[in-house]
Amino acid sequence: MITINLNPEVETHLRVIAAQAQTSADEMVCRIISEYVEQKTHTERIDAAIPPITKSLIGIIKQTAIDEADYQRYLQDKYLGVTQLTKNSFRI
């Protein structure tokens, strides 16, 4: 058993939320902590499954203006040596 000292406002909110959920404040706290631990464990398992080289690449490109059409043109040029020109694209 653990005793937790909450400020009165937080305690009031906890009791109201627990009553709305038709459970006790103790059960509500246990449920919240269990869900937190479960989510953290799941995230850690996913992180452990990702190889280090892949982890190093995550987030490397934050925002990009490349769309599917740009990627298709890139693949056509790379593998076919031909880029289809459209109204909005040109080759330099």
Side-chain angles (χ1 to χ4, degrees):
M1 177 198 260
I2 297 176
T3 301
I4 300 175
N5 293 319
L6 302 173
N7 76 42
E9 186 177 330
V10 172
E11 184 178 352
T12 301
H13 288 302
L14 174 61
R15 292 196 185 284
V16 169
I17 293 168
Q20 290 172 346
Q22 299 178 348
T23 188
S24 68
D26 292 343
E27 182 60 34
M28 182 66 71
V29 171
C30 287
R31 200 179 305 164
I32 291 168
I33 292 172
S34 294
E35 288 175 8
Y36 173 79
V37 169
E38 184 179 317
Q39 181 179 4
K40 185 132 176 99
T41 303
H42 177 72
T43 302
E44 288 171 354
R45 275 188 269 137
I46 290 172
D47 285 348
I50 299 173
I53 188 78
T54 305
K55 282 184 187 176
S56 71
L57 298 173
I58 293 174
I60 211 166
I61 300 176
K62 294 288 182 193
Q63 295 178 358
T64 180
I66 298 172
D67 62 4
E68 188 175 343
D70 292 328
Y71 184 62
Q72 287 175 353
R73 282 192 295 277
Y74 164 77
L75 292 176
Q76 287 173 347
D77 190 43
K78 181 176 179 178
Y79 294 108
L80 303 175
V82 177
T83 300
Q84 291 181 348
L85 299 177
T86 63
K87 289 188 258 180
N88 299 327
S89 68
F90 59 91
R91 199 165 172 199
I92 299 176

